[in-house]
Amino acid sequence: MVSSYKRELTLTAAGLSLIAVSYGLARYAYGLFAPTLRAEFALDGGTLGAIAAGSYVAYCLAVIVSTAVTSRWGARTGALAAGATATAGTALIAAAPNAAVLALGVVLAGASTGLASPSLADAVSRVVRVTRRDRAQSVVNAGTGLGVLISGPVSLLAIGDWRLAWWAFAAASALVTLWIARVVPAVKEDRKSGLPSPLLPPATGRLLPAAATLGLASAAIWTFGRDIAVSVGGLSETASTVVWIVLGAVGLAGAFTAELTSRAGLRRAWSAGMVLFAVATALFALATRSLPALIIAAALFGAVYIGLTGVLILWGTRAYPTAPAFGVGVSFLMLALGQAVGAPLIGLLGDLIDLRAGFLAAAAIAVLGVLFAPREATTTYNFGVRSLSRVSPVPPERESRVDCA
């Protein structure tokens, strides 16, 4: 029993670390360095957004690849691919001589996240005991907050030499990849094809548009959060970085998503989260020149975003109980598609009007996301988790292991 628990704990820690380097460093640190990259490569808002969109498109393709790879060769292969891609992408950004190479590095780094999430979700679903599974999924997902938290101090230490920070990110990614090779098991899907049946269960009617809406709304802060604080709010490099650090630090609260969802239910958790998400995004637009207000907005955004992506993971794995990697993959695919559309549009609004207009539009989209909340909430008996009924049929023999969603 002790050995099994240690194995679960080690897997969770390694998974959290992979999410930290792929999401927090390889992908979202682009937004942290946006003002510096804008000046270094003479980029306008539209181009900054387009590069970010390329990263999200790469993420979409990587999700599809990861789902197939996990099915055929196991979770370790997908996780190793994620770590290797994060290492290569961050190194390419660090060495970029021009905007084209920068864009290629950002795209490659963004692909790492799409490779990481489905494979780790599958590994956790098949290794961690059912009574600890939701909590483990939430802790792994909170790695985004850890990575964002780490990226801020590193950028401050590397003031005057942003490339040094990205070389540090590449080194961290390489170390985590070696750890992943040791601890993530090569568990595979139970089914030869890895595809669920039905391919689109009833839950996806709300799950997929909900994920896309979150992606659209989140593109504002992830891509232009620090940029708006500097270019519109007039904050210094240090002050705006502090805002980013707070975002990551409070984002670690996403580790408690499972506990919060067990009390509120998926429907209430999603609805309340999207409203708070809209408030945080609107604060970035309406109180741009106030450092205390931006710190509050960043803290709220960090906690709520990580929490909402945690809800998507729980929702996706319950909608596809026999193919958890597919469930998380399709959810995060729609999330990334939303971000791919949102980033260039918000950048374009910033060029044509003002970045604040783009942020207010993103806040309005977040409010609309409440409409896609799970339809029904009933209590199930798997450690008291409140969740959806009739989202996906669960075979009788699996009812003791999997929550309906």
Side-chain angles (χ1 to χ4, degrees):
M1 180 66 71
V2 175
S3 177
S4 175
Y5 179 72
K6 182 179 179 180
R7 182 188 183 205
E8 293 174 6
L9 190 63
T10 303
L11 172 64
T12 301
L16 178 143
S17 300
L18 180 60
I19 293 297
V21 298
S22 58
Y23 279 86
L25 302 183
R27 182 176 176 186
Y28 289 137
Y30 174 74
L32 171 64
F33 286 85
T36 302
L37 297 176
R38 180 195 285 267
E40 177 79 12
F41 296 102
L43 306 175
D44 58 25
T47 305
L48 276 173
I51 292 174
S55 171
Y56 298 139
V57 170
Y59 173 92
C60 296
L61 297 175
V63 164
I64 298 171
V65 171
S66 180
T67 303
V69 165
T70 300
S71 170
R72 186 173 181 83
W73 290 294
R76 182 191 292 131
T77 302
L80 282 175
T85 306
T87 303
T90 50
L92 197 56
I93 293 171
N98 52 52
V101 177
L102 170 71
L104 180 60
V106 171
V107 168
L108 192 59
S112 70
T113 53
L115 293 167
S117 291
S119 56
L120 290 176
D122 185 79
V124 169
S125 292
R126 298 178 188 282
V127 172
V128 179
R129 290 171 61 89
V130 67
T131 52
R132 295 191 286 262
R133 192 173 301 151
D134 281 359
R135 184 175 298 111
Q137 296 282 19
S138 298
V139 170
V140 169
N141 186 58
T144 299
L146 177 61
V148 172
L149 171 62
I150 292 171
S151 67
V154 171
S155 72
L156 288 177
L157 291 173
I159 285 180
D161 189 359
W162 63 270
R163 295 178 186 275
L164 182 62
W166 284 93
W167 283 122
F169 296 162
S173 299
L175 290 174
V176 170
T177 304
L178 293 176
W179 190 15
I180 287 294
R182 290 180 59 87
V183 304
V184 175
V187 293
K188 301 180 181 180
E189 294 280 9
D190 295 333
R191 295 141 56 98
K192 292 182 180 180
S193 66
L195 294 176
S197 180
L199 190 61
L200 295 175
T204 56
R206 287 177 172 267
L207 172 61
L208 301 188
T213 302
L214 177 59
L216 277 166
S218 66
I221 291 179
W222 280 129
T223 307
F224 299 102
R226 184 162 178 256
D227 194 34
I228 194 175
V230 173
S231 62
V232 178
L235 267 64
S236 67
E237 185 170 354
T238 300
S240 59
T241 302
V242 167
V243 172
W244 195 265
I245 292 172
V246 169
L247 189 160
V250 182
L252 289 171
F256 299 101
T257 298
E259 283 74 10
L260 294 174
T261 303
S262 71
R263 290 167 173 77
L266 288 178
R267 181 176 64 187
R268 291 179 182 175
W270 180 264
S271 299
M274 291 302 282
V275 171
L276 292 174
F277 194 88
V279 170
T281 307
L283 266 178
F284 262 84
L286 300 176
T288 312
R289 298 183 183 277
S290 170
L291 178 59
L294 284 182
I295 288 177
I296 292 172
L300 185 59
F301 174 86
V304 173
Y305 179 81
I306 304 302
L308 286 171
T309 53
V311 170
L312 286 180
I313 289 176
L314 300 181
W315 195 352
T317 55
R318 293 171 187 171
Y320 293 92
T322 61
F326 188 92
V328 173
V330 73
S331 303
F332 277 48
L333 172 63
M334 295 306 298
L335 175 72
L337 284 174
Q339 291 172 325
V341 172
L345 288 179
I346 292 166
L348 183 60
L349 277 174
D351 290 338
L352 295 177
I353 306 174
D354 189 290
L355 264 179
R356 288 171 289 192
F359 275 63
L360 290 175
I365 291 171
V367 174
L368 291 177
V370 175
L371 299 176
F372 301 112
R375 189 179 299 278
E376 299 177 15
T378 57
T379 303
T380 62
Y381 295 95
N382 185 5
F383 59 97
V385 173
R386 291 174 58 96
S387 62
L388 295 181
S389 63
R390 297 201 298 274
V391 167
S392 176
V394 182
E397 65 272 16
R398 294 180 64 91
E399 286 182 350
S400 63
R401 298 182 63 244
V402 182
D403 280 308
C404 295

